[in-house]
Amino acid sequence: MIISMKPRATRQEIEQVFQRIEEFGYKVHSIEGEERVVIGVVGVGDVTACLESVEAMPQVEKAVRISAPYKFVSREFRPQRSQIVVDGVEIGGDEFVVMAGPCSVESEEQIMRSAEAVARAGAKLLRGGAFKPRTSPYDFQGLEVEGLRLLAQAREATGLGIVTEVMTDRDVDLVAEYADLLQVGARNMQNFALLKTLGRCGRPVLLKRGLSSTIKELLMSAEYIVAHGNPNVILCERGIRTFETATRNTCDIAGVAALNELTHLPVIVDPSHATGKRSLVPALSRAAVAVGADGLIVEAHPCPEKAISDGAQSLELQQFAAMMRELAPWISLWRQTRMTQAAATV
Amino acid sequence: MIISMKPRATRQEIEQVFQRIEEFGYKVHSIEGEERVVIGVVGVGDVTACLESVEAMPQVEKAVRISAPYKFVSREFRPQRSQIVVDGVEIGGDEFVVMAGPCSVESEEQIMRSAEAVARAGAKLLRGGAFKPRTSPYDFQGLEVEGLRLLAQAREATGLGIVTEVMTDRDVDLVAEYADLLQVGARNMQNFALLKTLGRCGRPVLLKRGLSSTIKELLMSAEYIVAHGNPNVILCERGIRTFETATRNTCDIAGVAALNELTHLPVIVDPSHATGKRSLVPALSRAAVAVGADGLIVEAHPCPEKAISDGAQSLELQQFAAMMRELAPWISLWRQTRMTQAAATV
Amino acid sequence: MIISMKPRATRQEIEQVFQRIEEFGYKVHSIEGEERVVIGVVGVGDVTACLESVEAMPQVEKAVRISAPYKFVSREFRPQRSQIVVDGVEIGGDEFVVMAGPCSVESEEQIMRSAEAVARAGAKLLRGGAFKPRTSPYDFQGLEVEGLRLLAQAREATGLGIVTEVMTDRDVDLVAEYADLLQVGARNMQNFALLKTLGRCGRPVLLKRGLSSTIKELLMSAEYIVAHGNPNVILCERGIRTFETATRNTCDIAGVAALNELTHLPVIVDPSHATGKRSLVPALSRAAVAVGADGLIVEAHPCPEKAISDGAQSLELQQFAAMMRELAPWISLWRQTRMTQAAATV
Amino acid sequence: MIISMKPRATRQEIEQVFQRIEEFGYKVHSIEGEERVVIGVVGVGDVTACLESVEAMPQVEKAVRISAPYKFVSREFRPQRSQIVVDGVEIGGDEFVVMAGPCSVESEEQIMRSAEAVARAGAKLLRGGAFKPRTSPYDFQGLEVEGLRLLAQAREATGLGIVTEVMTDRDVDLVAEYADLLQVGARNMQNFALLKTLGRCGRPVLLKRGLSSTIKELLMSAEYIVAHGNPNVILCERGIRTFETATRNTCDIAGVAALNELTHLPVIVDPSHATGKRSLVPALSRAAVAVGADGLIVEAHPCPEKAISDGAQSLELQQFAAMMRELAPWISLWRQTRMTQAAATV
């Protein structure tokens, strides 16, 4: 941590800052500039408490953190990529993994048709919401337990592992009974009670980036889950909220590359929520492959215009299959690139 | 709802849209322009499901909602302001209500000193966090139940009602035992499980606007609580996330005026989180009074530089008292303005 | 400036950074932490070039500037407020100054009626666009020179000084012939050719904050004008672009208070562009008074619904007069506050 | 255009809106809903003036534009892609075009070495700033005319066409003498005086998206240039400003795909400004290829750490060459995809 004092800070005020830092057990190095004094703080452990305390002192201008506030999820802690295994499918390794399915589970026929079609097209996991976070209290809130049962039935029939959202810590055990991968939605990325419970749930977690969360906050939320006992976290870029309205959200594709530098955890992209528009999903999916994501989570529905939610961004099942065919050569290139990188690292 | 078709939509595609709308029980009015067909949808009730379905149809360019997607919280539903009574204090009426206290409850001495000082300075409710949402898993997470007990003790001693945060639906009953006003934090504004439970909790709720939530979304979240049975909701503007970094957040002060047009619910301002900087709190508090907010929630602490959290934005207790004295003439003007408005409405 | 090296930087890489810094004539202080080396750079003058150079070196993690990159406009350079005199009216002093008038000059009758009405209501300067920046090439682009002549005629008749926009460095001399205060629009805040020319124009400048410019960038743009010879710059907060759409822009009212700490230049608020909605202008104007702005610039038009531009945010002339009456007691309080502050400073 | 009246609008107020619309020469269709009246406006031409006028009328709740406010640049006006030829190089056709070079022209040696290296690596145009827009008045502002001469010399030696920025309408003729492609920087995207002059300059224009400009505004700015006589406009996505700070800007990669649907103009990506970080440039470049951009503009410098500007985001010349080699198979796939699309369209 680095602290800069205001130009008119007195010697006494500076000494008080020194003292406070030492109370926290850190060492002080001061740099006397022509205009102001700058203080370096050296030591081990998280400096947040010390930083907040010093920031509140008189004549302190700024306190800047140098080291990252997360540990277990960082590349410094673990330089090589993590692979997370979900129902036998490895994510973060040498295969690009596509998860697909409808926004919500609506009926047996709908989820079964979807599951069969996306499996045939090459998806490895089935997505589908049983508990739905909806902005309006008057919108469809999901089939809940019945939805979970239908997902289990679809797994039975197709062998696809299940990814589905859990909305509250109260439901973690219930959802974990049925799902292979528990999704934390964007609106819950900082629901810390939920994150802590997921740390103890024994299932891999898919953590979606919040609408206006920074990459650092996303990593801090992942750190919550890991620090509470669950190392199996997959991150998901699904678009952030900006001033642009031509797309539903703005996909931070370079953020995926930045995450690959900062963390060993796998990162996937959700092109459906990122764009909100079916016609843009294939192009963005190609970009996600090229940027080096570990997979995709895509909305596909037998009849998007009859979907209860998110129809405009869902691909029809045949469109999904066509996209998978078009993606194939891009995914081959992805695999070569990953192999080359792996070889270079060794 | 208004739907515009793409210019090259065929007659058949247009007819399909008509049919879909009628399946939802609405009436259709079409306008044949030179370039495209525009379709008006007339009917009662929420059109979300219909809108989402139509948006997903081929050749539909755009579907725009005309009426607001919320009802109970709107000024159209209830033209006169609502007053919410919290432990005998009326919010939304003729008095400007200040809530104050430390970010977190840290110790008996700290909360008692804070409570006495803010009461003496004119605050009507005591704030203090027992359960703390923290970005890092390694930061202080609050004294939890012990914190609630200390708040109750401070109420006993000072007569101030208590406002404190509840972070998960699991804790609603527990927190409601101790608190007079249950706060939903910014990160939980769209924690729908929590909102639903608060709808049934029998206590007034203070709903903070999410970091990147629109005014419409804030009203939809309030609608959740009201629609589930609890009409006593107070809204709080606490700054939104933008590109600006000179302040912690950007206070949407005009949004308070906009809310006053859209809803009958009271709206207060949190100048501490909005700025993140103690020295800016008095100026922003004056602005909140002037814009027509119903009150403030302010962080004040006996020794901000020893605060466990948010020290940089907390006022010292004497600073808080000084600010309250300076605010007094502004609040007088506020009262006159409100009286004049009330007289004009009658 | 503070530089942090990556944890695995070698001694040689660190030495190269030292050398580079010394080539720029600065002194180096290094702090050897357990994980990484942090380097403090001490010296006089702007460090931007050095910072950019070092940032590009291998194993450098982050380079952070400590001192502000502007000088003449800072409070450190000049601790007391600047007063700028525009056609005999002092801005930044003991009077709250209101500028008002139509968005565009449209006709002799329109501008004369506007000028007379706003003067009668208490405005001290007349605004009106002769050159209009319009997003669409097909929209009205202003009466240009004819508009300037009409403004001069209105000044003749009413005694009001004129504030009007200049859009390109080519037009500075022409506009300066007619205007008392030259406005730089939000879209031109970083039109550096224009800023440089205004540095030599001999007229005060009203610099509007860009739609997505930070406070620091606003001050840097002001520094351009001052550094090129013109100390008479007034800043204007007119709302920034965010995700919120309930208002046209988001007024950064706390930013006005932050500017008052950082700079000695006067700061005014434009409630018309900030909200885009006539009904919100009075409330936001009160907030601007309360937060401590030095004045307002408000759109008022004889018949907003026939205005060629910005009708929805323009007040009718009677509405403007009513607002000025309502503002009067708030402005009295503003004056008392300012006097008290001035007395406290002495 | 669609207008919705407030629920309590009277018959007379509605009639006044009808009348106003008819004054503008449009036809009216009204839809009488249970709660409110909605009015459709039908006619040819730009409705902006009418929309702004109606929006300002009493009891009008909202006025929404249906058709795009731009024409010449739209896909509806010209369904097939435009190819723009710059010094013999076709952009928007069957070749993916890379432009590269240093941020600023600094010296003869620097620009000659850069030009030779990027040409050898496969770049088709040379970038380099002679006039530099800098946030600080104290930063290097470019070699100006001397820089243009050095660029011309580099063209002579290597055969690469030149792309360089023009900052003010005053300089357009001068820059056009030397450059093959005139760049409008992000800060000037809405410098309308500059755009108009470029409409008459007889050279192709590279229009960079503003830091906080929407896709619609980018297209409107392109429309300015085209409507003033110059159809040769290339668009450039270079990252927008958001709350995220891990990268310098946020690259709106899905916006490139959205632009491909909305306009026939070519779109390229600037991965250097979008990320601000050299190590992220290759990954983002691959994403740009995959999403279907028409090319890249990349910063490359013989010695980034000695660059006067933007060193941290510039590739060394060998890194650039390595990136071009790695991109080759991705560009092959790009070419196949484009051919397939072209075949499908015929």
Side-chain angles (χ1 to χ4, degrees):
Chain A
M1 181 173 56
I2 297 292
I3 296 146
S4 64
M5 302 298 297
K6 290 192 186 160
R8 64 193 84 160
T10 63
R11 181 50 41 194
Q12 199 196 341
E13 287 161 335
I14 294 166
E15 295 290 343
Q16 282 164 354
V17 174
F18 287 177
Q19 211 181 312
R20 178 63 42 82
I21 294 166
E22 286 159 0
E23 284 168 30
F24 277 91
Y26 300 112
K27 284 201 208 115
V28 164
H29 289 249
S30 87
I31 302 172
E32 316 263 327
E34 314 239 333
E35 280 180 0
R36 73 190 69 214
V37 168
V38 173
I39 303 165
V41 177
V42 174
V44 174
D46 183 56
V47 297
T48 306
C50 177
L51 185 147
E52 292 202 351
S53 173
V54 167
E55 254 187 337
M57 297 182 75
Q59 302 301 331
V60 168
E61 190 168 76
K62 201 156 60 169
V64 179
R65 183 195 303 276
I66 299 294
S67 46
Y70 44 83
K71 180 184 163 198
F72 295 122
V73 303
S74 73
R75 277 269 184 184
E76 288 170 20
F77 181 74
R78 186 186 147 93
Q80 65 278 44
R81 288 174 192 282
S82 285
Q83 283 80 41
I84 315 279
V85 179
V86 179
D87 192 38
V89 176
E90 191 186 73
I91 298 163
D94 294 344
E95 293 301 322
F96 187 87
V97 175
V98 179
M99 316 178 184
C103 176
S104 310
V105 181
E106 296 167 7
S107 69
E108 180 178 342
E109 198 218 332
Q110 175 244 22
I111 195 66
M112 294 304 282
R113 274 189 59 199
S114 300
E116 282 154 18
V118 303
R120 214 162 32 232
K124 296 295 179 208
L125 293 168
L126 176 67
R127 64 151 290 155
F131 295 89
K132 298 299 304 169
R134 300 304 300 267
T135 305
S136 165
Y138 308 121
D139 290 349
F140 174 64
Q141 314 270 320
L143 294 182
E144 310 196 345
V145 183
E146 174 59 16
L148 294 174
R149 283 202 201 101
L150 292 173
L151 286 167
Q153 185 181 329
R155 176 175 46 204
E156 201 73 9
T158 59
L160 293 175
I162 298 300
V163 47
T164 196
E165 179 160 354
V166 56
M167 283 176 59
T168 166
D169 49 327
R170 237 194 251 264
D171 292 339
V172 167
D173 290 343
L174 172 67
V175 177
E177 258 180 65
Y178 295 88
D180 302 287
L181 178 60
L182 276 72
Q183 177 179 317
V184 178
R187 284 167 189 74
N188 273 324
M189 192 200 86
Q190 294 193 318
N191 180 334
F192 302 116
L194 176 58
L195 300 180
K196 287 179 195 174
T197 308
L198 287 168
R200 297 183 289 264
C201 79
R203 287 270 184 211
V205 174
L206 178 63
L207 180 65
K208 295 190 111 179
R209 180 175 179 184
L211 268 79
S212 68
S213 298
T214 61
I215 281 175
K216 191 162 109 181
E217 288 167 342
L218 173 60
L219 290 172
M220 297 294 281
S221 286
E223 184 86 1
Y224 255 97
I225 303 171
V226 177
H228 281 83
N230 185 349
N232 296 312
V233 179
I234 299 165
L235 307 174
C236 180
E237 163 62 34
R238 44 76 75 209
I240 56 174
R241 180 165 277 187
T242 69
F243 58 83
E244 179 59 73
T245 55
T247 44
R248 182 171 175 182
N249 293 292
T250 298
C251 184
D252 183 7
I253 201 83
V256 176
L259 280 167
N260 276 337
E261 289 187 354
L262 297 167
T263 184
H264 54 86
L265 297 175
V267 184
I268 68 170
V269 171
D270 174 346
S272 308
H273 284 86
T275 59
K277 236 181 132 182
R278 188 190 305 148
S279 64
L280 301 176
V281 169
L284 184 55
S285 296
R286 287 196 307 267
V289 170
V291 89
D294 293 290
L296 293 171
I297 182 163
V298 182
E299 288 190 359
H301 192 282
C303 180
E305 46 194 282
K306 299 223 164 168
I308 295 180
S309 52
D310 283 352
Q313 72 194 34
S314 297
L315 296 170
E316 287 175 16
L317 298 175
Q318 307 94 297
Q319 289 174 325
F320 175 72
M323 182 180 91
M324 289 294 280
R325 280 192 302 273
E326 284 164 24
L327 274 183
W330 299 89
I331 292 177
S332 284
L333 264 184
W334 176 94
R335 207 176 291 115
Q336 286 168 37
T337 307
R338 177 129 323 182
M339 299 294 196
T340 316
Q341 287 172 353
T345 315
V346 173
Chain B
M1 181 174 56
I2 296 294
I3 296 146
S4 64
M5 302 298 297
K6 291 193 184 158
R8 64 193 86 160
T10 62
R11 181 50 40 195
Q12 199 196 341
E13 287 162 334
I14 294 166
E15 295 289 344
Q16 282 165 353
V17 173
F18 287 0
Q19 210 181 313
R20 177 65 40 84
I21 294 165
E22 285 160 1
E23 284 169 28
F24 277 89
Y26 299 112
K27 282 200 210 120
V28 165
H29 289 250
S30 87
I31 302 170
E32 317 261 329
E34 314 240 333
E35 279 180 2
R36 73 188 72 215
V37 169
V38 172
I39 304 166
V41 177
V42 175
V44 174
D46 182 55
V47 297
T48 306
C50 178
L51 185 146
E52 292 204 350
S53 173
V54 166
E55 255 187 336
M57 297 182 75
Q59 302 300 330
V60 168
E61 189 168 78
K62 199 155 63 168
V64 179
R65 182 195 304 276
I66 299 295
S67 45
Y70 44 82
K71 179 184 164 198
F72 295 123
V73 303
S74 73
R75 276 270 183 184
E76 287 170 21
F77 181 75
R78 183 185 149 95
Q80 65 279 43
R81 286 174 194 283
S82 285
Q83 283 81 39
I84 315 280
V85 179
V86 178
D87 191 40
V89 177
E90 191 186 75
I91 298 162
D94 294 344
E95 293 302 325
F96 187 88
V97 176
V98 178
M99 317 178 182
C103 176
S104 308
V105 181
E106 296 166 9
S107 69
E108 180 176 342
E109 199 219 331
Q110 174 243 26
I111 195 66
M112 295 304 281
R113 277 188 58 198
S114 301
E116 282 154 17
V118 304
R120 215 162 33 232
K124 296 295 179 210
L125 293 169
L126 175 67
R127 63 151 290 155
F131 294 89
K132 299 298 304 170
R134 301 303 301 268
T135 305
S136 164
Y138 308 121
D139 290 350
F140 175 64
Q141 314 271 320
L143 293 182
E144 310 196 345
V145 182
E146 174 59 16
L148 295 174
R149 283 200 201 103
L150 291 173
L151 287 167
Q153 186 182 328
R155 176 174 51 204
E156 201 73 6
T158 60
L160 293 175
I162 298 300
V163 47
T164 197
E165 178 160 355
V166 56
M167 283 176 59
T168 165
D169 49 327
R170 235 194 255 262
D171 292 339
V172 166
D173 290 343
L174 171 68
V175 178
E177 257 180 65
Y178 294 89
D180 302 288
L181 178 60
L182 276 71
Q183 176 180 317
V184 178
R187 283 167 190 74
N188 273 324
M189 192 199 87
Q190 294 193 317
N191 179 335
F192 302 116
L194 176 59
L195 300 179
K196 287 180 194 175
T197 307
L198 288 167
R200 298 183 289 263
C201 78
R203 288 271 184 211
V205 174
L206 177 63
L207 180 65
K208 297 192 109 178
R209 181 176 178 183
L211 269 79
S212 68
S213 297
T214 62
I215 282 175
K216 193 162 107 182
E217 288 167 344
L218 172 61
L219 291 171
M220 297 295 282
S221 286
E223 184 87 2
Y224 255 95
I225 302 171
V226 178
H228 282 83
N230 185 349
N232 295 313
V233 180
I234 300 166
L235 306 175
C236 181
E237 164 61 34
R238 43 80 72 210
I240 56 174
R241 179 165 277 185
T242 69
F243 58 84
E244 179 59 70
T245 55
T247 44
R248 182 172 175 180
N249 294 291
T250 298
C251 183
D252 184 7
I253 200 80
V256 176
L259 280 167
N260 276 338
E261 290 187 355
L262 296 169
T263 183
H264 53 87
L265 298 175
V267 184
I268 69 171
V269 172
D270 174 345
S272 308
H273 283 87
T275 60
K277 234 179 135 183
R278 188 190 303 145
S279 64
L280 302 175
V281 168
L284 184 55
S285 296
R286 290 197 305 270
V289 171
V291 90
D294 293 289
L296 292 172
I297 182 162
V298 181
E299 288 190 357
H301 191 283
C303 181
E305 46 194 282
K306 299 224 164 167
I308 294 181
S309 52
D310 282 352
Q313 71 193 33
S314 296
L315 295 170
E316 287 175 16
L317 298 174
Q318 307 94 297
Q319 289 174 325
F320 176 71
M323 180 179 92
M324 290 295 280
R325 282 193 301 275
E326 286 164 21
L327 273 183
W330 299 90
I331 291 176
S332 284
L333 263 184
W334 176 93
R335 206 176 289 113
Q336 285 168 38
T337 308
R338 176 129 326 182
M339 300 293 198
T340 318
Q341 286 171 355
T345 316
V346 174
Chain C
M1 181 172 57
I2 297 292
I3 295 147
S4 63
M5 302 299 296
K6 291 193 185 159
R8 65 193 85 162
T10 63
R11 181 50 41 195
Q12 198 196 343
E13 286 160 336
I14 294 167
E15 294 291 341
Q16 281 163 356
V17 174
F18 287 178
Q19 208 181 315
R20 177 64 41 82
I21 293 166
E22 285 160 1
E23 283 168 30
F24 277 90
Y26 300 112
K27 282 199 210 118
V28 164
H29 289 249
S30 87
I31 302 170
E32 317 262 330
E34 314 239 333
E35 278 181 3
R36 71 188 74 213
V37 168
V38 172
I39 304 167
V41 176
V42 174
V44 174
D46 183 55
V47 297
T48 306
C50 177
L51 185 147
E52 292 203 351
S53 173
V54 167
E55 254 187 337
M57 296 181 76
Q59 301 300 334
V60 168
E61 188 167 78
K62 199 156 63 169
V64 179
R65 184 194 302 278
I66 299 295
S67 46
Y70 44 82
K71 178 185 166 197
F72 296 122
V73 304
S74 73
R75 276 271 184 183
E76 288 170 19
F77 181 75
R78 184 186 148 93
Q80 66 278 43
R81 286 175 192 283
S82 285
Q83 283 80 41
I84 315 278
V85 179
V86 178
D87 193 39
V89 177
E90 192 186 75
I91 298 161
D94 294 343
E95 293 301 325
F96 187 86
V97 176
V98 179
M99 318 178 182
C103 175
S104 309
V105 182
E106 295 167 9
S107 69
E108 181 177 342
E109 200 218 331
Q110 174 244 24
I111 194 67
M112 294 304 283
R113 277 188 59 199
S114 301
E116 282 155 16
V118 302
R120 213 160 37 231
K124 296 297 179 208
L125 293 168
L126 176 66
R127 62 151 292 154
F131 295 89
K132 298 298 305 169
R134 301 303 299 268
T135 305
S136 164
Y138 308 121
D139 289 351
F140 175 62
Q141 314 271 321
L143 293 182
E144 309 196 345
V145 183
E146 175 59 16
L148 294 174
R149 283 202 200 100
L150 292 173
L151 286 167
Q153 186 181 327
R155 175 174 50 204
E156 202 71 9
T158 59
L160 293 175
I162 298 300
V163 47
T164 197
E165 178 162 355
V166 56
M167 282 175 60
T168 164
D169 50 329
R170 236 193 252 264
D171 292 339
V172 166
D173 290 343
L174 172 67
V175 177
E177 257 181 65
Y178 294 89
D180 301 289
L181 178 60
L182 276 72
Q183 176 181 316
V184 178
R187 282 166 190 75
N188 274 322
M189 192 200 87
Q190 293 193 318
N191 180 335
F192 302 116
L194 177 58
L195 300 179
K196 287 179 194 174
T197 307
L198 288 167
R200 298 182 290 263
C201 80
R203 288 268 184 215
V205 174
L206 178 63
L207 180 66
K208 297 190 110 179
R209 179 175 179 184
L211 268 80
S212 68
S213 298
T214 61
I215 281 176
K216 191 161 109 182
E217 288 167 343
L218 173 60
L219 290 172
M220 297 294 281
S221 286
E223 183 87 1
Y224 254 96
I225 302 171
V226 177
H228 282 84
N230 186 348
N232 296 312
V233 179
I234 300 164
L235 306 174
C236 180
E237 165 60 35
R238 43 77 75 209
I240 56 173
R241 179 165 278 185
T242 68
F243 59 83
E244 179 58 72
T245 55
T247 45
R248 184 172 173 179
N249 293 290
T250 298
C251 185
D252 183 8
I253 201 80
V256 176
L259 279 167
N260 276 338
E261 290 187 353
L262 296 169
T263 184
H264 53 87
L265 298 175
V267 185
I268 67 171
V269 171
D270 174 346
S272 308
H273 283 88
T275 59
K277 231 179 137 186
R278 188 189 304 146
S279 63
L280 302 176
V281 169
L284 184 55
S285 296
R286 289 196 307 269
V289 170
V291 89
D294 293 288
L296 293 172
I297 182 162
V298 181
E299 289 191 356
H301 191 283
C303 181
E305 46 193 281
K306 299 223 162 169
I308 295 179
S309 51
D310 282 352
Q313 72 193 36
S314 298
L315 296 170
E316 286 175 18
L317 298 174
Q318 307 95 294
Q319 289 174 325
F320 175 73
M323 181 180 91
M324 290 295 281
R325 281 193 301 275
E326 287 164 21
L327 274 183
W330 298 91
I331 291 176
S332 285
L333 262 186
W334 176 95
R335 205 177 291 113
Q336 286 168 38
T337 307
R338 178 133 318 186
M339 300 294 198
T340 317
Q341 286 171 354
T345 315
V346 173
Chain D
M1 182 173 56
I2 297 293
I3 295 146
S4 64
M5 302 299 296
K6 289 192 185 159
R8 64 194 85 163
T10 64
R11 180 50 43 194
Q12 199 195 339
E13 287 162 335
I14 294 166
E15 294 289 342
Q16 282 164 355
V17 174
F18 288 178
Q19 211 180 311
R20 176 65 41 83
I21 293 166
E22 284 160 1
E23 284 167 31
F24 278 90
Y26 299 112
K27 283 200 210 117
V28 164
H29 289 249
S30 86
I31 302 172
E32 318 262 330
E34 314 238 334
E35 278 180 2
R36 71 189 72 215
V37 169
V38 172
I39 304 166
V41 177
V42 175
V44 175
D46 183 56
V47 297
T48 306
C50 177
L51 185 148
E52 292 203 351
S53 173
V54 166
E55 255 188 336
M57 297 182 75
Q59 302 301 331
V60 168
E61 189 168 77
K62 199 156 63 169
V64 179
R65 183 196 301 278
I66 299 294
S67 45
Y70 45 82
K71 180 186 163 198
F72 295 123
V73 304
S74 74
R75 277 269 183 182
E76 288 172 18
F77 181 75
R78 184 184 148 94
Q80 65 278 45
R81 287 173 192 282
S82 285
Q83 283 80 39
I84 316 279
V85 179
V86 178
D87 192 39
V89 176
E90 192 185 74
I91 299 161
D94 294 344
E95 293 301 324
F96 187 86
V97 175
V98 178
M99 316 179 184
C103 176
S104 309
V105 181
E106 296 167 9
S107 69
E108 183 177 339
E109 200 218 329
Q110 174 242 23
I111 195 67
M112 294 304 283
R113 275 188 59 197
S114 301
E116 281 154 19
V118 303
R120 214 162 32 233
K124 296 295 181 207
L125 293 169
L126 175 66
R127 63 151 291 154
F131 296 89
K132 297 299 305 169
R134 300 303 300 269
T135 305
S136 165
Y138 308 122
D139 289 351
F140 174 62
Q141 314 271 320
L143 294 182
E144 309 196 346
V145 183
E146 176 58 16
L148 295 175
R149 281 199 203 105
L150 291 173
L151 287 167
Q153 187 182 325
R155 177 174 47 205
E156 201 71 9
T158 58
L160 294 175
I162 299 299
V163 47
T164 197
E165 179 161 354
V166 56
M167 282 177 59
T168 166
D169 49 328
R170 237 194 251 264
D171 292 339
V172 167
D173 290 343
L174 173 66
V175 178
E177 258 179 64
Y178 294 89
D180 301 289
L181 178 60
L182 277 72
Q183 177 179 318
V184 178
R187 284 166 189 75
N188 274 322
M189 193 200 86
Q190 293 193 318
N191 180 336
F192 301 116
L194 177 58
L195 300 180
K196 287 180 193 173
T197 308
L198 287 168
R200 296 183 292 263
C201 79
R203 288 268 183 214
V205 174
L206 178 64
L207 180 66
K208 295 190 111 178
R209 181 175 178 183
L211 268 78
S212 68
S213 298
T214 61
I215 281 175
K216 192 162 111 182
E217 287 167 344
L218 173 61
L219 291 172
M220 298 295 280
S221 286
E223 184 87 1
Y224 255 96
I225 302 171
V226 177
H228 282 83
N230 186 349
N232 296 312
V233 180
I234 299 165
L235 307 174
C236 181
E237 164 61 32
R238 44 78 73 211
I240 56 174
R241 181 166 276 186
T242 69
F243 58 83
E244 179 59 72
T245 55
T247 45
R248 182 171 175 181
N249 293 290
T250 299
C251 184
D252 183 7
I253 201 81
V256 175
L259 280 167
N260 276 339
E261 290 187 354
L262 295 168
T263 183
H264 52 88
L265 297 175
V267 185
I268 68 170
V269 171
D270 175 345
S272 307
H273 284 87
T275 60
K277 234 181 134 181
R278 188 189 305 148
S279 65
L280 301 176
V281 169
L284 184 55
S285 296
R286 288 196 306 268
V289 170
V291 89
D294 293 290
L296 294 171
I297 182 162
V298 181
E299 288 191 358
H301 192 283
C303 181
E305 46 193 281
K306 298 224 163 166
I308 295 180
S309 51
D310 282 353
Q313 70 194 36
S314 297
L315 296 171
E316 287 175 16
L317 298 175
Q318 306 95 295
Q319 289 174 324
F320 175 73
M323 180 180 92
M324 289 295 280
R325 279 192 302 275
E326 285 163 23
L327 274 183
W330 299 90
I331 292 177
S332 282
L333 262 185
W334 177 94
R335 205 176 292 115
Q336 285 167 39
T337 308
R338 179 129 322 182
M339 300 294 196
T340 317
Q341 286 172 353
T345 316
V346 174

